[in-house]
Amino acid sequence: MAAPKPLIRPEDITICESTQQMISKARRDGVELFFDRAAEMKPCPIGADSACCKHCSMGPCRMNPSDPYRKVGVCGASIDTISARNFGRMVAAGTAAHTDHGMAMLELFRGVIEGTITDFQIKDHLKLHEVAASLDIETNGRAIEEVARDVYRELEKTYTQVEGEIPLVKRVPAKTLETWRREGIVPRGAMREIMEMMHRTAIGVDQDYENLAKQISRTALADGWGGSMVSTDISDILFGTPAPVEISVDLGVLKEDQVNIIVHGHEPSLLESMMVSTAAPSLQAMAREAGAKGINLVGMCCSGLEVLSRHGIPHAGNFSSTEAALVTGAVDAMTVDIQCIKQDLHKVAGCYDTVFVTTNYRAKIEGALHIELDEHDPLKCTDEIVIKAIGRFKNRSQPIEIPRRVSRGVHGFSHEYIKYMLGGSFRGGYEPLNDNIINGRIRGVAGVVGCTNPRSKQDFSHVELVKELIKNDVLVVQTGCSQVALAKAGLTTPGAAAMAGPGLAEVCETVGIPPVLGLGACVDNSRILMAVAEMVKTGGLGDAIADLPVAGCAPEWMSEKAIAIGQYFVASGVYTVFGHTFPITRETKFEKLLFAGLERQGLGTWGFADSPQDMARLMLAHIDKKRRELGIDKARERVLVGMEDRRSLAANE
Ligand code: NFS
């Protein structure tokens, strides 16, 4: 008989105490979680190094990652061709995810303009005017609908433009754009770029890794400066541009005496509609009749991040905690749309009698209840889900255990707000940020973003990395599941400035901001692009994004979307470090191109490190290198996070 498998301790799986508690409960309940499968299933070593080609039926061909040039594929494809192809397809998939999401937002916008969709409206006229102005669309004296129609037509080109440059590259700093033109990587419409990427990575097409790399950058740029940016702009126009608001994060936001509804996914329309349904007096009354004190609407993952700062909706946790939320037994309904929705959520929900509903025609789950959200009548879907959730509340039979932890933090720092908060309403601008970078109070800016991954201790690298960066006077901007990790760790409060180095702390205390600024969902990485573009245009820190003392990192990434994001940051000129694994064979020409060659072309470059301390070391070294090149460096020691900092953080929580 086989010996029983050792159970990995919850505290080795995650630093999120609520999730630890729910892992223990799931074990008691006999419910399998994705953490268990990650421990059980070893990743394929050849696949992990991207040394396998399965683009035709002569293979799949397996290379030898430890001796990458010993073999070629049956067709003769080299390891460089194979890994560039695989990387290119990841970028194409990630770009497709963001741009298709953006396309859905754009279609919603078109419906609103045409009057066929009436449940959503143009809410933020100022943002519409700003977007119009950035596209050289006349706004003076014109009706909102007319401007909106022109904005729609321009933004549609982000997808459909067959030739020439997409309109949003008007926002790219001139020198960066000049580099792209020289390298032939200015994107056309995303549909064209993704199509060409898929074509060129098919058997027997592009077999020159350098040439493939150009299309990889071009495709990724069609995401960052295209589909993702459209998604952010349209979401702001329709639902409002975020501004800082204090919100609660962690599983403790679930309430035992209320009907708990979680919205998980990525498109804000589902949660926006759910807000209307849960506030409806008739449904509120129905909930009370069922014995509930009210209806508690909670977000998870990027859906939650889209609305937390717009409306102060509480957030239950990031990607690795979605099953944990169900294990509480307190969730009456979990409703999902697209992206990052694990198939097993349906099964775990079933173990706790939670109503689990898919709502988008693009993302059904076999066996799961599907109630489609039609934007022409969204309440039909969300009202029905609320009624089902109330029904589940009434018949609750599962023991409930809700972790008590809740962290309060300030989120909602759009790039527009950063401008305002630093400069004030009369002289809004990025000058104060640039000045503080030049005078050395702020050493640089780092974007720490991306997923959590069950193969990496949940939240650990995000939190340790950010602590180290702020300790070294680096202002951190965040999106996605990383932002949720830091919120749970208590670093998104102004009081967290106590954890920062003296220069950054002084700036934070003067302005009244946390040292860690949450900008929103993963598509809102476009806000970071806009922020770095503003920094260049403001002056004093070089002429291109590649000149800035900035760096990016996705320490616990898992999605192809993260690879697309990483590549568009790199192509935009940002040094970007990924943690825990990187889909490439070491010591190959393609690796050298990504990790050094692109920088020589005037773009950014990739970096990789295992531990958060090494990630911080690489990022700080890059920031210091850029400061030296700009002539604004001052010799400084790297400061390590010590026990005292941890105590001040604990006191602050
Ligand atoms: Ni981003 Fe949002 Fe999270 Fe990763 Fe998934 S939720 S789009 S992909 S896991 S950060």
Side-chain angles (χ1 to χ4, degrees), residues 122-141:
I122 295 177
K123 204 175 205 174
D124 193 336
H125 292 196
L126 181 63
K127 179 85 184 206
L128 177 71
H129 275 164
E130 278 170 3
V131 172
S134 76
L135 295 166
D136 299 332
I137 292 168
E138 183 57 56
T139 53
N140 258 348

mmCIF file with all atom_site columns, all heavy atoms in Angstrom, residues 122-141:
data_model
loop_
_atom_site.group_PDB
_atom_site.id
_atom_site.type_symbol
_atom_site.label_atom_id
_atom_site.label_alt_id
_atom_site.label_comp_id
_atom_site.label_asym_id
_atom_site.label_entity_id
_atom_site.label_seq_id
_atom_site.pdbx_PDB_ins_code
_atom_site.Cartn_x
_atom_site.Cartn_y
_atom_site.Cartn_z
_atom_site.occupancy
_atom_site.B_iso_or_equiv
_atom_site.pdbx_formal_charge
_atom_site.auth_seq_id
_atom_site.auth_comp_id
_atom_site.auth_asym_id
_atom_site.auth_atom_id
_atom_site.pdbx_PDB_model_num
ATOM 1   N N   . ILE A 1 122 ? -23.203 57.263 -20.838 1.00 0.00 ? 122 ILE A N   1
ATOM 2   C CA  . ILE A 1 122 ? -21.889 57.933 -20.794 1.00 0.00 ? 122 ILE A CA  1
ATOM 3   C C   . ILE A 1 122 ? -21.872 58.734 -19.503 1.00 0.00 ? 122 ILE A C   1
ATOM 4   O O   . ILE A 1 122 ? -22.599 59.707 -19.344 1.00 0.00 ? 122 ILE A O   1
ATOM 5   C CB  . ILE A 1 122 ? -21.694 58.850 -22.017 1.00 0.00 ? 122 ILE A CB  1
ATOM 6   C CG1 . ILE A 1 122 ? -21.660 57.999 -23.286 1.00 0.00 ? 122 ILE A CG1 1
ATOM 7   C CG2 . ILE A 1 122 ? -20.421 59.672 -21.879 1.00 0.00 ? 122 ILE A CG2 1
ATOM 8   C CD1 . ILE A 1 122 ? -21.553 58.780 -24.570 1.00 0.00 ? 122 ILE A CD1 1
ATOM 9   N N   . LYS A 1 123 ? -21.058 58.297 -18.581 1.00 0.00 ? 123 LYS A N   1
ATOM 10  C CA  . LYS A 1 123 ? -21.093 58.882 -17.247 1.00 0.00 ? 123 LYS A CA  1
ATOM 11  C C   . LYS A 1 123 ? -20.041 59.972 -17.085 1.00 0.00 ? 123 LYS A C   1
ATOM 12  O O   . LYS A 1 123 ? -20.265 60.969 -16.435 1.00 0.00 ? 123 LYS A O   1
ATOM 13  C CB  . LYS A 1 123 ? -20.808 57.752 -16.248 1.00 0.00 ? 123 LYS A CB  1
ATOM 14  C CG  . LYS A 1 123 ? -21.340 57.997 -14.870 1.00 0.00 ? 123 LYS A CG  1
ATOM 15  C CD  . LYS A 1 123 ? -21.087 56.763 -14.050 1.00 0.00 ? 123 LYS A CD  1
ATOM 16  C CE  . LYS A 1 123 ? -22.034 56.637 -12.911 1.00 0.00 ? 123 LYS A CE  1
ATOM 17  N NZ  . LYS A 1 123 ? -21.835 55.353 -12.226 1.00 0.00 ? 123 LYS A NZ  1
ATOM 18  N N   . ASP A 1 124 ? -18.875 59.741 -17.685 1.00 0.00 ? 124 ASP A N   1
ATOM 19  C CA  . ASP A 1 124 ? -17.757 60.640 -17.437 1.00 0.00 ? 124 ASP A CA  1
ATOM 20  C C   . ASP A 1 124 ? -17.479 61.481 -18.684 1.00 0.00 ? 124 ASP A C   1
ATOM 21  O O   . ASP A 1 124 ? -16.689 61.108 -19.556 1.00 0.00 ? 124 ASP A O   1
ATOM 22  C CB  . ASP A 1 124 ? -16.522 59.806 -17.048 1.00 0.00 ? 124 ASP A CB  1
ATOM 23  C CG  . ASP A 1 124 ? -15.413 60.660 -16.471 1.00 0.00 ? 124 ASP A CG  1
ATOM 24  O OD1 . ASP A 1 124 ? -15.379 61.872 -16.773 1.00 0.00 ? 124 ASP A OD1 1
ATOM 25  O OD2 . ASP A 1 124 ? -14.580 60.123 -15.716 1.00 0.00 ? 124 ASP A OD2 1
ATOM 26  N N   . HIS A 1 125 ? -18.144 62.633 -18.760 1.00 0.00 ? 125 HIS A N   1
ATOM 27  C CA  . HIS A 1 125 ? -17.999 63.487 -19.941 1.00 0.00 ? 125 HIS A CA  1
ATOM 28  C C   . HIS A 1 125 ? -16.585 64.052 -20.061 1.00 0.00 ? 125 HIS A C   1
ATOM 29  O O   . HIS A 1 125 ? -16.058 64.206 -21.156 1.00 0.00 ? 125 HIS A O   1
ATOM 30  C CB  . HIS A 1 125 ? -19.023 64.632 -19.886 1.00 0.00 ? 125 HIS A CB  1
ATOM 31  C CG  . HIS A 1 125 ? -20.441 64.142 -20.058 1.00 0.00 ? 125 HIS A CG  1
ATOM 32  N ND1 . HIS A 1 125 ? -21.494 64.970 -20.361 1.00 0.00 ? 125 HIS A ND1 1
ATOM 33  C CD2 . HIS A 1 125 ? -20.973 62.908 -19.983 1.00 0.00 ? 125 HIS A CD2 1
ATOM 34  C CE1 . HIS A 1 125 ? -22.610 64.256 -20.449 1.00 0.00 ? 125 HIS A CE1 1
ATOM 35  N NE2 . HIS A 1 125 ? -22.309 62.999 -20.218 1.00 0.00 ? 125 HIS A NE2 1
ATOM 36  N N   . LEU A 1 126 ? -15.993 64.346 -18.908 1.00 0.00 ? 126 LEU A N   1
ATOM 37  C CA  . LEU A 1 126 ? -14.637 64.902 -18.927 1.00 0.00 ? 126 LEU A CA  1
ATOM 38  C C   . LEU A 1 126 ? -13.674 63.894 -19.562 1.00 0.00 ? 126 LEU A C   1
ATOM 39  O O   . LEU A 1 126 ? -12.863 64.242 -20.425 1.00 0.00 ? 126 LEU A O   1
ATOM 40  C CB  . LEU A 1 126 ? -14.213 65.237 -17.490 1.00 0.00 ? 126 LEU A CB  1
ATOM 41  C CG  . LEU A 1 126 ? -12.832 65.839 -17.346 1.00 0.00 ? 126 LEU A CG  1
ATOM 42  C CD1 . LEU A 1 126 ? -12.759 67.183 -18.060 1.00 0.00 ? 126 LEU A CD1 1
ATOM 43  C CD2 . LEU A 1 126 ? -12.465 66.007 -15.861 1.00 0.00 ? 126 LEU A CD2 1
ATOM 44  N N   . LYS A 1 127 ? -13.806 62.629 -19.154 1.00 0.00 ? 127 LYS A N   1
ATOM 45  C CA  . LYS A 1 127 ? -12.909 61.602 -19.713 1.00 0.00 ? 127 LYS A CA  1
ATOM 46  C C   . LYS A 1 127 ? -13.156 61.472 -21.216 1.00 0.00 ? 127 LYS A C   1
ATOM 47  O O   . LYS A 1 127 ? -12.208 61.346 -22.004 1.00 0.00 ? 127 LYS A O   1
ATOM 48  C CB  . LYS A 1 127 ? -13.150 60.256 -19.012 1.00 0.00 ? 127 LYS A CB  1
ATOM 49  C CG  . LYS A 1 127 ? -12.296 59.120 -19.539 1.00 0.00 ? 127 LYS A CG  1
ATOM 50  C CD  . LYS A 1 127 ? -10.928 59.060 -18.901 1.00 0.00 ? 127 LYS A CD  1
ATOM 51  C CE  . LYS A 1 127 ? -10.051 57.988 -19.500 1.00 0.00 ? 127 LYS A CE  1
ATOM 52  N NZ  . LYS A 1 127 ? -9.025  57.501 -18.607 1.00 0.00 ? 127 LYS A NZ  1
ATOM 53  N N   . LEU A 1 128 ? -14.423 61.509 -21.619 1.00 0.00 ? 128 LEU A N   1
ATOM 54  C CA  . LEU A 1 128 ? -14.716 61.412 -23.061 1.00 0.00 ? 128 LEU A CA  1
ATOM 55  C C   . LEU A 1 128 ? -14.005 62.544 -23.803 1.00 0.00 ? 128 LEU A C   1
ATOM 56  O O   . LEU A 1 128 ? -13.379 62.324 -24.851 1.00 0.00 ? 128 LEU A O   1
ATOM 57  C CB  . LEU A 1 128 ? -16.230 61.469 -23.295 1.00 0.00 ? 128 LEU A CB  1
ATOM 58  C CG  . LEU A 1 128 ? -16.636 61.450 -24.776 1.00 0.00 ? 128 LEU A CG  1
ATOM 59  C CD1 . LEU A 1 128 ? -16.377 60.077 -25.388 1.00 0.00 ? 128 LEU A CD1 1
ATOM 60  C CD2 . LEU A 1 128 ? -18.101 61.831 -24.958 1.00 0.00 ? 128 LEU A CD2 1
ATOM 61  N N   . HIS A 1 129 ? -14.067 63.742 -23.254 1.00 0.00 ? 129 HIS A N   1
ATOM 62  C CA  . HIS A 1 129 ? -13.402 64.882 -23.902 1.00 0.00 ? 129 HIS A CA  1
ATOM 63  C C   . HIS A 1 129 ? -11.893 64.704 -23.935 1.00 0.00 ? 129 HIS A C   1
ATOM 64  O O   . HIS A 1 129 ? -11.240 65.026 -24.926 1.00 0.00 ? 129 HIS A O   1
ATOM 65  C CB  . HIS A 1 129 ? -13.783 66.184 -23.197 1.00 0.00 ? 129 HIS A CB  1
ATOM 66  C CG  . HIS A 1 129 ? -15.078 66.744 -23.707 1.00 0.00 ? 129 HIS A CG  1
ATOM 67  N ND1 . HIS A 1 129 ? -15.795 67.699 -23.071 1.00 0.00 ? 129 HIS A ND1 1
ATOM 68  C CD2 . HIS A 1 129 ? -15.791 66.455 -24.823 1.00 0.00 ? 129 HIS A CD2 1
ATOM 69  C CE1 . HIS A 1 129 ? -16.891 67.992 -23.753 1.00 0.00 ? 129 HIS A CE1 1
ATOM 70  N NE2 . HIS A 1 129 ? -16.908 67.238 -24.830 1.00 0.00 ? 129 HIS A NE2 1
ATOM 71  N N   . GLU A 1 130 ? -11.352 64.171 -22.844 1.00 0.00 ? 130 GLU A N   1
ATOM 72  C CA  . GLU A 1 130 ? -9.890  63.960 -22.813 1.00 0.00 ? 130 GLU A CA  1
ATOM 73  C C   . GLU A 1 130 ? -9.463  62.924 -23.839 1.00 0.00 ? 130 GLU A C   1
ATOM 74  O O   . GLU A 1 130 ? -8.461  63.097 -24.533 1.00 0.00 ? 130 GLU A O   1
ATOM 75  C CB  . GLU A 1 130 ? -9.456  63.512 -21.415 1.00 0.00 ? 130 GLU A CB  1
ATOM 76  C CG  . GLU A 1 130 ? -9.301  64.684 -20.472 1.00 0.00 ? 130 GLU A CG  1
ATOM 77  C CD  . GLU A 1 130 ? -9.098  64.250 -19.026 1.00 0.00 ? 130 GLU A CD  1
ATOM 78  O OE1 . GLU A 1 130 ? -9.013  63.026 -18.760 1.00 0.00 ? 130 GLU A OE1 1
ATOM 79  O OE2 . GLU A 1 130 ? -9.038  65.140 -18.170 1.00 0.00 ? 130 GLU A OE2 1
ATOM 80  N N   . VAL A 1 131 ? -10.239 61.842 -23.929 1.00 0.00 ? 131 VAL A N   1
ATOM 81  C CA  . VAL A 1 131 ? -9.913  60.799 -24.909 1.00 0.00 ? 131 VAL A CA  1
ATOM 82  C C   . VAL A 1 131 ? -10.030 61.395 -26.319 1.00 0.00 ? 131 VAL A C   1
ATOM 83  O O   . VAL A 1 131 ? -9.157  61.199 -27.170 1.00 0.00 ? 131 VAL A O   1
ATOM 84  C CB  . VAL A 1 131 ? -10.832 59.565 -24.740 1.00 0.00 ? 131 VAL A CB  1
ATOM 85  C CG1 . VAL A 1 131 ? -10.625 58.563 -25.873 1.00 0.00 ? 131 VAL A CG1 1
ATOM 86  C CG2 . VAL A 1 131 ? -10.583 58.900 -23.388 1.00 0.00 ? 131 VAL A CG2 1
ATOM 87  N N   . ALA A 1 132 ? -11.092 62.156 -26.543 1.00 0.00 ? 132 ALA A N   1
ATOM 88  C CA  . ALA A 1 132 ? -11.293 62.777 -27.862 1.00 0.00 ? 132 ALA A CA  1
ATOM 89  C C   . ALA A 1 132 ? -10.105 63.681 -28.200 1.00 0.00 ? 132 ALA A C   1
ATOM 90  O O   . ALA A 1 132 ? -9.543  63.604 -29.296 1.00 0.00 ? 132 ALA A O   1
ATOM 91  C CB  . ALA A 1 132 ? -12.602 63.563 -27.867 1.00 0.00 ? 132 ALA A CB  1
ATOM 92  N N   . ALA A 1 133 ? -9.714  64.506 -27.231 1.00 0.00 ? 133 ALA A N   1
ATOM 93  C CA  . ALA A 1 133 ? -8.603  65.431 -27.489 1.00 0.00 ? 133 ALA A CA  1
ATOM 94  C C   . ALA A 1 133 ? -7.332  64.656 -27.816 1.00 0.00 ? 133 ALA A C   1
ATOM 95  O O   . ALA A 1 133 ? -6.573  65.044 -28.716 1.00 0.00 ? 133 ALA A O   1
ATOM 96  C CB  . ALA A 1 133 ? -8.390  66.325 -26.270 1.00 0.00 ? 133 ALA A CB  1
ATOM 97  N N   . SER A 1 134 ? -7.114  63.542 -27.130 1.00 0.00 ? 134 SER A N   1
ATOM 98  C CA  . SER A 1 134 ? -5.888  62.760 -27.381 1.00 0.00 ? 134 SER A CA  1
ATOM 99  C C   . SER A 1 134 ? -5.918  62.127 -28.771 1.00 0.00 ? 134 SER A C   1
ATOM 100 O O   . SER A 1 134 ? -4.888  61.691 -29.281 1.00 0.00 ? 134 SER A O   1
ATOM 101 C CB  . SER A 1 134 ? -5.703  61.691 -26.310 1.00 0.00 ? 134 SER A CB  1
ATOM 102 O OG  . SER A 1 134 ? -6.584  60.613 -26.538 1.00 0.00 ? 134 SER A OG  1
ATOM 103 N N   . LEU A 1 135 ? -7.099  62.069 -29.370 1.00 0.00 ? 135 LEU A N   1
ATOM 104 C CA  . LEU A 1 135 ? -7.222  61.493 -30.719 1.00 0.00 ? 135 LEU A CA  1
ATOM 105 C C   . LEU A 1 135 ? -7.399  62.587 -31.775 1.00 0.00 ? 135 LEU A C   1
ATOM 106 O O   . LEU A 1 135 ? -7.794  62.312 -32.911 1.00 0.00 ? 135 LEU A O   1
ATOM 107 C CB  . LEU A 1 135 ? -8.426  60.536 -30.759 1.00 0.00 ? 135 LEU A CB  1
ATOM 108 C CG  . LEU A 1 135 ? -8.319  59.291 -29.867 1.00 0.00 ? 135 LEU A CG  1
ATOM 109 C CD1 . LEU A 1 135 ? -9.670  58.616 -29.709 1.00 0.00 ? 135 LEU A CD1 1
ATOM 110 C CD2 . LEU A 1 135 ? -7.307  58.305 -30.422 1.00 0.00 ? 135 LEU A CD2 1
ATOM 111 N N   . ASP A 1 136 ? -7.145  63.840 -31.359 1.00 0.00 ? 136 ASP A N   1
ATOM 112 C CA  . ASP A 1 136 ? -7.310  65.005 -32.239 1.00 0.00 ? 136 ASP A CA  1
ATOM 113 C C   . ASP A 1 136 ? -8.742  65.157 -32.745 1.00 0.00 ? 136 ASP A C   1
ATOM 114 O O   . ASP A 1 136 ? -8.969  65.598 -33.883 1.00 0.00 ? 136 ASP A O   1
ATOM 115 C CB  . ASP A 1 136 ? -6.346  64.930 -33.447 1.00 0.00 ? 136 ASP A CB  1
ATOM 116 C CG  . ASP A 1 136 ? -4.895  64.920 -33.009 1.00 0.00 ? 136 ASP A CG  1
ATOM 117 O OD1 . ASP A 1 136 ? -4.610  65.478 -31.937 1.00 0.00 ? 136 ASP A OD1 1
ATOM 118 O OD2 . ASP A 1 136 ? -4.054  64.326 -33.718 1.00 0.00 ? 136 ASP A OD2 1
ATOM 119 N N   . ILE A 1 137 ? -9.700  64.818 -31.915 1.00 0.00 ? 137 ILE A N   1
ATOM 120 C CA  . ILE A 1 137 ? -11.108 64.989 -32.283 1.00 0.00 ? 137 ILE A CA  1
ATOM 121 C C   . ILE A 1 137 ? -11.597 66.309 -31.683 1.00 0.00 ? 137 ILE A C   1
ATOM 122 O O   . ILE A 1 137 ? -11.386 66.570 -30.493 1.00 0.00 ? 137 ILE A O   1
ATOM 123 C CB  . ILE A 1 137 ? -11.964 63.804 -31.766 1.00 0.00 ? 137 ILE A CB  1
ATOM 124 C CG1 . ILE A 1 137 ? -11.580 62.526 -32.524 1.00 0.00 ? 137 ILE A CG1 1
ATOM 125 C CG2 . ILE A 1 137 ? -13.456 64.083 -31.897 1.00 0.00 ? 137 ILE A CG2 1
ATOM 126 C CD1 . ILE A 1 137 ? -12.135 61.258 -31.918 1.00 0.00 ? 137 ILE A CD1 1
ATOM 127 N N   . GLU A 1 138 ? -12.234 67.117 -32.499 1.00 0.00 ? 138 GLU A N   1
ATOM 128 C CA  . GLU A 1 138 ? -12.723 68.417 -32.053 1.00 0.00 ? 138 GLU A CA  1
ATOM 129 C C   . GLU A 1 138 ? -13.840 68.228 -31.020 1.00 0.00 ? 138 GLU A C   1
ATOM 130 O O   . GLU A 1 138 ? -14.741 67.404 -31.210 1.00 0.00 ? 138 GLU A O   1
ATOM 131 C CB  . GLU A 1 138 ? -13.250 69.182 -33.290 1.00 0.00 ? 138 GLU A CB  1
ATOM 132 C CG  . GLU A 1 138 ? -13.743 70.578 -33.040 1.00 0.00 ? 138 GLU A CG  1
ATOM 133 C CD  . GLU A 1 138 ? -12.698 71.488 -32.392 1.00 0.00 ? 138 GLU A CD  1
ATOM 134 O OE1 . GLU A 1 138 ? -11.599 71.632 -32.947 1.00 0.00 ? 138 GLU A OE1 1
ATOM 135 O OE2 . GLU A 1 138 ? -13.009 72.041 -31.306 1.00 0.00 ? 138 GLU A OE2 1
ATOM 136 N N   . THR A 1 139 ? -13.761 68.958 -29.922 1.00 0.00 ? 139 THR A N   1
ATOM 137 C CA  . THR A 1 139 ? -14.806 68.825 -28.891 1.00 0.00 ? 139 THR A CA  1
ATOM 138 C C   . THR A 1 139 ? -15.561 70.128 -28.679 1.00 0.00 ? 139 THR A C   1
ATOM 139 O O   . THR A 1 139 ? -16.693 70.117 -28.206 1.00 0.00 ? 139 THR A O   1
ATOM 140 C CB  . THR A 1 139 ? -14.188 68.398 -27.542 1.00 0.00 ? 139 THR A CB  1
ATOM 141 O OG1 . THR A 1 139 ? -13.140 69.315 -27.219 1.00 0.00 ? 139 THR A OG1 1
ATOM 142 C CG2 . THR A 1 139 ? -13.644 66.993 -27.583 1.00 0.00 ? 139 THR A CG2 1
ATOM 143 N N   . ASN A 1 140 ? -14.922 71.242 -29.051 1.00 0.00 ? 140 ASN A N   1
ATOM 144 C CA  . ASN A 1 140 ? -15.511 72.557 -28.767 1.00 0.00 ? 140 ASN A CA  1
ATOM 145 C C   . ASN A 1 140 ? -16.885 72.733 -29.384 1.00 0.00 ? 140 ASN A C   1
ATOM 146 O O   . ASN A 1 140 ? -17.048 72.599 -30.601 1.00 0.00 ? 140 ASN A O   1
ATOM 147 C CB  . ASN A 1 140 ? -14.587 73.656 -29.308 1.00 0.00 ? 140 ASN A CB  1
ATOM 148 C CG  . ASN A 1 140 ? -13.799 74.261 -28.172 1.00 0.00 ? 140 ASN A CG  1
ATOM 149 O OD1 . ASN A 1 140 ? -14.117 74.011 -27.006 1.00 0.00 ? 140 ASN A OD1 1
ATOM 150 N ND2 . ASN A 1 140 ? -12.777 75.036 -28.504 1.00 0.00 ? 140 ASN A ND2 1
ATOM 151 N N   . GLY A 1 141 ? -17.846 73.024 -28.531 1.00 0.00 ? 141 GLY A N   1
ATOM 152 C CA  . GLY A 1 141 ? -19.193 73.332 -29.012 1.00 0.00 ? 141 GLY A CA  1
ATOM 153 C C   . GLY A 1 141 ? -19.934 72.147 -29.618 1.00 0.00 ? 141 GLY A C   1
ATOM 154 O O   . GLY A 1 141 ? -20.964 72.332 -30.260 1.00 0.00 ? 141 GLY A O   1
#
